[in-house]
């Protein structure tokens, strides 16, 4: 079995426009991706391609499972920290639990994770896996046997 190890992303300190708090005082927000937190945003997808989105999520979810676990927050730009409403189909996949079954159909071992929605954001919490997680079938951007690991985030 072929196994690819890759850096999924690096720590990023993001510039966020100044915002006003409830009393009109300016405040700055900072978003930080770490070894345990990854931001994903699909709001620019005019016609979301389910296979492409699931492939991106599989890479991130399996990378967390192959490392120490972590959280993916869908709906927040990693460069700016700005929150965006996602395409309706992404929320539908979550509500019908299609994300869990679709991701695990791509995996050679069970990936334990939970997803929930809070406003426009979707939080996916991934547990560390006892077994190495790799792809069991070819799909958009993933070959059978590929595995992903988060590293270089501290």
């Amino acid at each position: 079995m072929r196994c690819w190890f890759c850096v999924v992303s690096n720590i990023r300190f993001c510039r966020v426009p100044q915002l006003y708090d409830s009393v009109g005082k300016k405040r700055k927000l900072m978003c930080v991706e770490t070894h345990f937190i990854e931001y994903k945003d699909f709001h620019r997808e005019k016609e979301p391609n389910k296979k492409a989105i699931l492939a991106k999520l599989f890479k991130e979810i399996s990378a967390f499972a192959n490392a120490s676990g972590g959280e993916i927050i869908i709906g927040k730009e990693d460069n700016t920290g700005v929150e965006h409403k996602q395409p309706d189909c992404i929320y539908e996949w979550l509500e019908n639990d299609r994300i869990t079954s679709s991701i695990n159909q791509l995996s050679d071992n069970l990936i334990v994770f939970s997803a929930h929605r809070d406003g426009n954001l979707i939080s996916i919490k991934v547990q560390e896996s006892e077994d190495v997680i790799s792809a069991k079938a070819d799909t958009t951007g993933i070959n059978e046997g590929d595995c992903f690991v988060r590293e270089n985030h501290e």
Side-chain angles (χ1 to χ4, degrees):
M1 172 171 59
R2 180 176 78 246
C3 191
W4 296 90
F5 291 93
C6 68
V7 176
V8 177
S9 64
N10 291 315
I11 294 177
R12 296 185 184 115
F13 293 94
C14 310
R15 291 185 185 180
V16 179
Q18 287 186 340
L19 301 175
Y20 293 91
D21 64 14
S22 60
V23 293
K25 186 176 182 179
K26 282 187 181 180
R27 62 185 171 103
K28 282 194 170 188
L29 298 176
M30 181 174 65
C31 81
V32 180
E33 287 186 338
T34 69
H35 183 74
F36 299 102
I37 297 174
E38 175 71 26
Y39 298 114
K40 286 290 172 205
D41 180 47
F42 302 106
H43 85 278
R44 289 187 176 91
E45 309 261 344
K46 300 294 182 208
E47 293 182 27
N49 178 325
K50 181 179 180 179
K51 285 186 177 184
I53 290 173
L54 286 173
K56 289 176 186 176
L57 290 176
F58 175 79
K59 289 177 183 179
E60 298 292 348
I61 290 170
S62 63
F64 274 126
N66 285 329
S68 303
E71 183 174 14
I72 301 163
I73 300 176
I74 300 173
K76 189 176 244 191
E77 286 186 35
D78 57 0
N79 293 334
T80 64
V82 174
E83 293 180 16
H84 296 282
K85 182 180 183 309
Q86 300 301 291
D88 290 336
C89 64
I90 292 177
Y91 298 119
E92 290 168 11
W93 296 338
L94 173 67
E95 290 165 3
N96 296 321
D97 203 29
R98 289 187 197 143
I99 289 176
T100 305
S101 59
S102 297
I103 292 295
N104 275 304
Q105 286 176 359
L106 294 174
S107 176
D108 61 347
N109 287 307
L110 179 68
I111 304 174
V112 180
F113 67 96
S114 62
H116 72 277
R117 181 176 177 180
D118 182 11
N120 287 333
L121 299 179
I122 297 172
S123 171
I124 300 175
K125 294 185 180 176
V126 184
Q127 292 183 14
E128 180 178 0
S129 176
E130 293 181 13
D131 300 311
V132 173
I133 303 295
S134 62
K136 71 176 179 184
D138 293 347
T139 190
T140 305
I142 298 174
N143 297 311
E144 182 179 353
D146 284 356
C147 65
F148 304 91
V149 177
R150 282 184 77 82
E151 53 186 36
N152 299 330
H153 285 81
E154 298 183 289

